[in-house]
Amino acid sequence: MASIGDIEQAETIEVKPSKAFVAFLNEEKQNKETLKNAETALILAEGKPTQKNYDEAATRVTSLTKEQDDFIKRLAIVKDNVPIYTAVELAETKQTKEQLDAATALVAQATLNKDALAKRLTTVQQKITEKEKAEKQIAAAREAVEKAEQEPTDDHYNQAIAKIKELPNGHPDLTARANGIKQAITTQKAAAEQQAQAAAQTPETPTPNTQETGEMVLVTTTGSKYHNRKCGNGTYTPTTLEEAQARGLTPCSKCY
């Protein structure tokens, strides 16, 4: 606003930034955006130091126009922890004692999320223990089923069923085999019952007694003949003709 005597006159002055200044502002804005992206990527990599997250953070950090020493140091720490994180993931996937031991040794050296990684390995240990227990239970159930298949009795069948019921998630194959054993036992019992009924309905045939049905003769203790009656002095005892002939005795000419 300007005054000349009693007259006031307003004028607008337009100030335009130079191209260099505009370029400077744009560069600063871009640098801030790049810095923000690098910080975001780095935080993600620190929280979850996988190879993928590390590569993304490394790309963002190296794209900064101004060297950021803090970012580079943090990135180096992430790089050191990538193999540790990978080992933990592998232990979770494989769930073997070898992988667990390897991951545990590396986690002891971790500088990022050490407590969280240790808890994850504790969960892995629990799953391995449960897995080993389940494997032992399955082995015991399989052994019981095999025994029942070899000797299909009610006792062996009941033992097999009890072992199968102990399995946390069941076992369709062993259950099917146990059902087959039950059917075999039922069939055996039915066959035995039929045989018993048939035996009860069939009269027994007496076994012939050769001593009762065979021809009887009389002999003496010192004689060489067998007789069909007492024909002289001496003590006569009865015996079968077969026994007398076996002793070498011949028939008495007076009796026969």
Side-chain angles (χ1 to χ4, degrees):
M1 180 73 69
S3 298
I4 302 177
D6 296 330
I7 300 173
E8 292 185 353
Q9 184 174 357
E11 292 185 6
T12 301
I13 301 175
E14 183 178 359
V15 179
K16 293 183 178 182
S18 64
K19 292 181 180 181
F21 183 69
V22 172
F24 170 77
L25 292 178
N26 290 335
E27 183 180 356
E28 285 295 312
K29 181 179 180 181
Q30 185 176 1
N31 287 340
K32 289 181 180 180
E33 188 67 24
T34 302
L35 185 63
K36 180 180 178 181
N37 292 338
E39 176 68 22
T40 300
L42 194 53
I43 291 175
L44 178 61
E46 289 172 332
K48 189 176 181 181
T50 63
Q51 187 64 49
K52 179 182 177 181
N53 289 343
Y54 167 78
D55 292 341
E56 178 66 21
T59 301
R60 297 289 185 181
V61 170
T62 54
S63 67
L64 298 175
T65 55
K66 294 182 180 179
E67 185 176 350
Q68 301 289 334
D69 292 339
D70 179 59
F71 277 27
I72 293 174
K73 291 179 181 179
R74 290 167 62 187
L75 186 63
I77 293 174
V78 172
K79 184 178 181 180
D80 291 338
N81 283 267
V82 168
I84 301 174
Y85 195 88
T86 301
V88 172
E89 288 186 325
L90 188 60
E92 290 174 329
T93 302
K94 299 293 184 181
Q95 292 185 9
T96 65
K97 188 176 184 304
E98 292 75 15
Q99 298 297 344
L100 175 63
D101 291 343
T104 300
L106 289 175
V107 168
Q109 306 171 19
T111 54
L112 291 176
N113 313 314
K114 187 171 185 176
D115 291 341
L117 293 176
K119 289 181 180 179
R120 289 170 62 179
L121 291 183
T122 298
T123 301
V124 173
Q125 177 64 71
Q126 292 172 348
K127 290 182 177 180
I128 291 175
T129 301
E130 292 172 359
K131 182 180 178 180
E132 290 175 345
K133 180 181 178 181
E135 289 175 348
K136 289 181 179 179
Q137 288 177 320
I138 291 174
R142 182 177 289 108
E143 182 179 354
V145 169
E146 290 174 350
K147 184 176 182 180
E149 287 174 333
Q150 294 171 1
E151 300 178 48
T153 64
D154 285 334
D155 186 43
H156 291 163
Y157 167 76
N158 291 333
Q159 290 177 12
I161 287 297
K163 292 295 183 181
I164 293 173
K165 287 182 178 180
E166 291 177 0
L167 303 178
N169 301 317
H171 200 291
D173 178 57
L174 293 179
T175 300
R177 289 169 64 180
N179 291 337
I181 295 167
K182 182 64 175 177
Q183 185 60 43
I185 293 173
T186 301
T187 301
Q188 287 178 356
K189 287 182 177 179
E193 185 176 352
Q194 290 178 354
Q195 291 178 356
Q197 291 176 352
Q201 295 173 359
T202 304
E204 293 185 3
T205 302
T207 302
N209 188 330
T210 57
Q211 291 184 348
E212 293 180 358
T213 60
E215 183 180 351
M216 301 298 293
V217 296
L218 297 175
V219 297
T220 62
T221 57
T222 60
S224 62
K225 307 292 182 178
Y226 60 84
H227 313 264
N228 61 7
R229 60 182 172 81
K230 291 183 179 181
C231 61
N233 297 325
T235 302
Y236 291 82
T237 57
T239 186
T240 65
L241 175 61
E242 182 180 10
E243 175 64 22
Q245 291 175 340
R247 287 166 55 183
L249 302 182
T250 57
C252 172
S253 60
K254 295 180 182 180
C255 299
Y256 292 91

